[in-house]
């Protein structure tokens, strides 16, 4: 994983498709005496079940910061978790998000922005991602 500077095994169909595409590009480029940029995959997992869905991007290491509505009685809750390691957000999970919100959390996981305070991050919640 280029973004983490180490080899990892990622068992997900999205990674399988993208890494296969990267292999084909690299083989064709090598045949032509060219090179391709390194494979730079953002780990991604998801689940969709009728109108329930969640997405996760990045890594789940470090301190976790929970945000949103975690009340199980809420009909359509929206909640998530940021993972912060060495002062940077390295992973994000979101349940019940919109397409735009899922794109925002992916951008945060890839960009690994610094955070000054876990408490402030918890207060900002999803807005931290949508304004990034």
């Amino acid at each position: 994983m280029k973004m983490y500077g180490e080899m990892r095994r990622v068992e997900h169909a999205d990674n399988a498709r993208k890494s296969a595409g990267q292999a084909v590009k690299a083989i064709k480029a090598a045949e032509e005496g060219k090179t391709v940029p390194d494979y730079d995959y953002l780990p991604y997992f998801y689940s969709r079940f009728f109108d329930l869905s969640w997405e996760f991007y990045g890594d789940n290491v470090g301190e976790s910061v929970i945000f949103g509505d975690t009340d199980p009685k809420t009909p359509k809750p929206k909640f998530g978790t940021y993972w912060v390691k060495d002062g940077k957000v390295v992973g994000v999970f979101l349940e019940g998000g919109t397409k735009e919100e899922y794109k925002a959390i992916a951008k945060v996981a890839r960009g690994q922005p610094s955070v000054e305070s876990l408490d402030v991050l918890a207060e900002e919640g999803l807005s931290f991602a949508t304004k990034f």
Side-chain angles (χ1 to χ4, degrees):
M1 307 298 303
K2 181 178 177 179
M3 66 187 304
Y4 303 120
E6 63 187 40
M7 294 290 292
R8 291 195 182 177
R9 182 176 174 164
V10 179
E11 295 185 15
H12 191 280
D14 182 64
N15 182 51
R17 284 189 292 272
K18 289 179 179 173
S19 63
Q22 177 73 9
V24 169
K25 288 177 194 173
I27 291 167
K28 288 184 144 237
E31 289 172 348
E32 298 170 1
K34 299 177 183 174
T35 61
V36 295
D38 290 340
Y39 183 58
D40 190 17
Y41 182 73
L42 173 65
Y44 162 69
F45 300 91
Y46 70 92
S47 181
R48 290 183 184 86
F49 186 74
F50 296 107
D51 63 343
L52 300 174
S53 69
W54 60 262
E55 293 190 13
F56 170 82
Y57 294 89
D59 206 356
N60 61 341
V61 297
E63 305 245 10
S64 59
V65 177
I66 297 170
F67 63 87
D69 181 0
T70 58
D71 183 349
K73 294 177 185 171
T74 302
K76 289 196 174 194
K78 185 179 293 191
F79 60 91
T81 305
Y82 291 107
W83 279 269
V84 179
K85 183 177 179 188
D86 299 328
K88 294 182 178 185
V89 176
V90 295
V92 190
F93 165 89
L94 179 61
E95 166 75 39
T98 64
K99 277 187 173 185
E100 293 77 21
E101 290 166 338
Y102 288 136
K103 285 180 184 177
I105 67 168
K107 187 177 176 185
V108 167
R110 172 149 327 264
Q112 298 186 357
S114 297
V115 292
E116 295 177 27
S117 160
L118 299 181
D119 293 331
V120 171
L121 181 60
E123 261 183 52
E124 288 186 23
L126 186 55
S127 69
F128 177 83
T130 58
K131 70 179 184 181
F132 177 69

